[in-house]
Amino acid sequence: TMKKLNRSILRKINYCIGFILSLLGVSFTGCAVDYGCPPIQCEYGVPQADYQISGRVENSQKQAIKGIEVSIKQTNNPYKQTPLAKDTTNADGSFEFSFTEFPVNELLITTHDIDSTADGSYQSNSIQITPEYKDDPNNTWHSSTEINNIVITLEEEKK
């Protein structure tokens, strides 16, 4: 029983010392600058990236197709099945996305003809892209990527 009592006392002393050291550790972060140390940067949350993605949807004759729904999804995240961004092509077949999201290795751009009678009927298509990120020198958890001039060619549906 004396051993159990000693262990119990030592355990309580360890908890008290740990608590005191954690308080001291927190208080020292504020005075690090006074001793010539660089300021400690506190970062909360998750890494983020700004995405700028643009391109054009065209047919096999390189003519623009308007009214095509273009969406971007993460390819390897089973928890995020909703599109990150969705838009419809303009009269010149162009699309443009600007959004902020967690940085990923691959994105899937899918197309779907939503006005099949207006300018012909086209098959859906998808392409996979790999973003290259530029880090923000002022924030290690933030980066950006710009992907332009993506061309997605759609084939007409066979009747």
Side-chain angles (χ1 to χ4, degrees):
T1 60
M2 191 63 151
K3 276 188 169 184
K4 286 184 180 180
L5 183 61
N6 284 341
R7 283 186 185 169
S8 174
I9 292 172
L10 285 175
R11 209 175 272 140
K12 289 178 183 175
I13 290 172
N14 280 339
Y15 288 131
C16 289
I17 291 172
F19 178 74
I20 291 169
L21 288 176
S22 69
L23 287 177
L24 290 174
V26 170
S27 66
F28 281 126
T29 58
C31 63
V33 176
D34 297 339
Y35 297 104
C37 300
I40 296 172
Q41 217 177 13
C42 295
E43 297 182 13
Y44 300 99
V46 295
Q48 290 188 338
D50 291 329
Y51 292 87
Q52 299 287 329
I53 300 172
S54 64
R56 173 181 154 97
V57 177
E58 59 186 34
N59 61 19
S60 55
Q61 291 82 33
K62 301 200 182 297
Q63 297 170 331
I65 308 172
K66 69 174 184 170
I68 300 293
E69 182 181 81
V70 182
S71 62
I72 298 180
K73 290 174 104 176
Q74 295 179 9
T75 58
N76 55 359
N77 187 348
Y79 304 106
K80 184 97 173 184
Q81 292 301 313
T82 58
L84 300 172
K86 188 187 286 191
D87 196 11
T88 305
T89 57
N90 300 329
D92 62 352
S94 66
F95 61 89
E96 189 172 330
F97 297 107
S98 179
F99 59 94
T100 301
E101 185 62 43
F102 185 80
V104 294
N105 293 333
E106 294 175 337
L107 293 169
L108 184 69
I109 300 179
T110 58
T111 60
H112 181 70
D113 190 357
I114 56 175
D115 70 343
S116 58
T117 58
D119 53 357
S121 183
Y122 292 92
Q123 297 176 3
S124 296
N125 195 0
S126 63
I127 63 167
Q128 204 162 346
I129 58 173
T130 305
E132 293 182 22
Y133 297 100
K134 297 175 191 162
D135 292 332
D136 183 349
N138 299 321
N139 185 346
T140 57
W141 280 32
H142 197 87
S143 57
S144 62
T145 185
E146 193 172 322
I147 305 169
N148 297 318
N149 303 322
I150 297 170
V151 177
I152 302 173
T153 305
L154 300 183
E155 298 293 326
E156 286 195 54
E157 281 193 5
K158 305 201 179 3
K159 296 179 182 180

